[in-house]
Amino acid sequence: MKRFALAGNPNSGKTTLFNSLTGSTAHVGNWPGVTVEKKDGVYKKLNEKVSIIDLPGIYSLSPYTLEEVVARNYIIDENPDCVINIVDATNLERNLYLTTQLLEINVPMVIALNMIDVLNKEGTTIDIKALEDKLGVPVIAVSALRDDNLDELMQKAYEASKNPREGRTIIKNEEILHLIGDITRAFKGSKVNNPLFHAIKLIENDDLEIRNHENLVDMVTEFKKTFHDEIFGDDFEAIIADARYQYITEHFHSVKKVSKEKEEEQQNVKMNRSDKIDKVLTHKVFGLLLFAAILFTIFHLAFADDILFIGKSGIFENVKPS
């Protein structure tokens, strides 16, 4: 039986999709050795039954939480036949950060662009073909809540699972790419699976990679001595994270199209709110009164607990109010 893993950010609709695909076949337990919840079920509408594994919701594949470690280890060690990456269409750029890491793993992959109905109601559309071309993997617009296009999603995932996919990175910095290439070749020489993913994580000073591949740490350290980023210095985790976000902003913002009506509506709302605030704050009478009221409030909050008065001796005395 083929195994498909669902991976995505928390609140991306991943669990809703899992429930829609598996229905009454879903089972809930814990992953071996940890208290992180495990969900698995069966999808029965293809030529063969497919086991669906709902991985914990995560924002990245860095080992900072048990959820991230569980999801990462399953994809890397258990070799699912396909990863279905659920991406919230209403928060496209934020969700694609995890996508850029999943793309570095040698695993067949499809994107389930979820909540597309919500986005369309807001007057925004996404160019699916352009997004697909930029990511290099199939993208299917779905609504897990309404069961829209789920059969098409699973058919695409089933087709993708038949063909191996080699991981690739979106990082474009030539110096870092040179190091990534050297470390990747070293991993390949050691017969390590998913060499690109491991190479990038080792450069990020990933704790798991450092422990598992101590023989390559010195090589990476020597290179880092010759590299310095003007903003992040020698913090390579930050350098690579910034490279991911820059690429996402530069290449994926353009796939979203806002209708003219929605754009005008947003501009009017912003202008109206701003204008109303400005009229009050800059008014020659009300503005001054508001300014005086703010100062009085601050003074009152600061000194309300103490009352200063002149006693019989003529000396200021600090007395708590009764």
Side-chain angles (χ1 to χ4, degrees):
M1 183 185 297
K2 286 185 178 293
R3 293 171 298 129
F4 293 175
L6 304 183
N9 289 182
N11 303 314
S12 62
K14 183 171 57 63
T15 299
T16 302
L17 176 61
F18 172 79
N19 292 336
S20 297
L21 293 175
T22 60
S24 60
T25 68
H27 300 282
V28 179
N30 285 337
W31 291 88
V34 296
T35 57
V36 177
E37 188 176 78
K38 176 183 180 181
K39 299 176 184 176
D40 62 85
V42 178
Y43 182 77
K44 302 178 179 179
K45 296 183 181 181
L46 293 169
N47 293 335
E48 60 178 297
K49 293 180 180 180
V50 175
S51 175
I52 307 294
I53 296 89
D54 183 21
L55 298 178
I58 55 173
Y59 293 106
S60 77
L61 293 175
S62 298
Y64 296 129
T65 67
L66 275 176
E67 287 78 9
E68 289 171 342
V69 173
V70 165
R72 168 176 166 161
N73 287 348
Y74 183 84
I75 297 172
I76 295 295
D77 299 333
E78 300 299 326
N79 299 311
D81 296 287
C82 184
V83 169
I84 300 176
N85 177 210
I86 296 85
V87 171
D88 178 0
T90 64
N91 290 287
L92 181 64
E93 295 177 30
R94 184 185 69 183
N95 279 234
L96 287 176
Y97 184 81
L98 174 62
T99 304
T100 63
Q101 297 178 70
L102 292 169
L103 287 172
E104 293 163 357
I105 303 174
N106 297 347
V107 61
M109 179 172 161
V110 298
I111 304 295
L113 191 62
N114 194 28
M115 304 187 196
I116 195 68
D117 54 325
V118 176
L119 192 71
N120 292 340
K121 284 182 180 180
E122 295 175 353
T124 303
T125 59
I126 291 180
D127 187 336
I128 302 297
K129 183 63 170 61
L131 183 60
E132 201 169 61
D133 290 342
K134 292 175 185 294
L135 291 172
V137 295
V139 177
I140 300 88
V142 304
S143 172
L145 188 62
R146 297 171 54 182
D147 291 354
D148 291 347
N149 295 337
L150 300 192
D151 290 342
E152 179 185 354
L153 169 67
M154 293 302 293
Q155 185 61 45
K156 287 286 186 180
Y158 186 69
E159 294 170 2
S161 70
K162 298 177 182 179
N163 302 303
R165 189 188 70 85
E166 185 174 356
R168 66 182 186 87
T169 183
I170 52 85
I171 297 170
K172 299 303 180 185
N173 184 293
E174 292 185 4
E175 292 181 89
I176 296 178
L177 278 177
H178 179 72
L179 176 62
I180 290 173
D182 289 344
I183 304 300
T184 300
R185 283 188 289 272
F187 275 121
K188 286 181 177 178
S190 301
K191 306 298 182 182
V192 175
N193 292 329
N194 300 296
L196 176 63
F197 174 82
H198 289 296
I200 294 173
K201 285 299 178 185
L202 184 58
I203 293 169
E204 289 181 339
N205 290 323
D206 184 287
D207 290 339
L208 292 179
E209 297 299 334
I210 291 174
R211 288 200 298 268
N212 294 334
H213 306 288
E214 293 181 354
N215 59 313
L216 296 175
V217 172
D218 290 342
M219 176 182 173
V220 175
T221 302
E222 286 302 314
F223 169 83
K224 290 180 177 180
K225 292 178 181 178
T226 66
F227 184 93
H228 183 80
D229 185 84
E230 293 183 358
I231 299 176
F232 300 106
D234 58 358
D235 185 347
F236 277 79
E237 184 177 14
I239 291 170
I240 291 179
D242 183 63
R244 294 187 194 280
Y245 280 121
Q246 283 189 14
Y247 184 89
I248 291 169
T249 301
E250 180 180 350
H251 290 82
F252 295 105
H253 181 73
S254 60
V255 303
K256 296 175 66 175
K257 304 294 182 184
V258 180
S259 66
K260 290 184 178 179
E261 294 79 5
K262 185 63 178 179
E263 190 173 348
E264 291 175 357
E265 179 184 337
Q266 290 175 345
Q267 289 178 350
N268 290 334
V269 170
K270 290 178 181 178
M271 289 179 62
N272 288 338
R273 289 175 180 171
S274 178
D275 289 343
K276 290 177 181 178
I277 294 173
D278 288 344
K279 284 182 180 179
V280 175
L281 295 179
T282 62
H283 193 277
K284 61 182 180 181
V285 176
F286 296 118
L288 292 174
L289 292 175
L290 182 60
F291 178 67
I294 292 172
L295 288 180
F296 174 78
T297 301
I298 294 173
F299 181 84
H300 179 73
L301 291 174
F303 298 103
D305 289 341
D306 295 326
I307 299 176
L308 295 176
F309 71 97
I310 300 176
K312 293 181 180 180
S313 61
I315 301 174
F316 283 98
E317 296 179 0
N318 190 8
V319 180
K320 296 287 183 180
S322 56

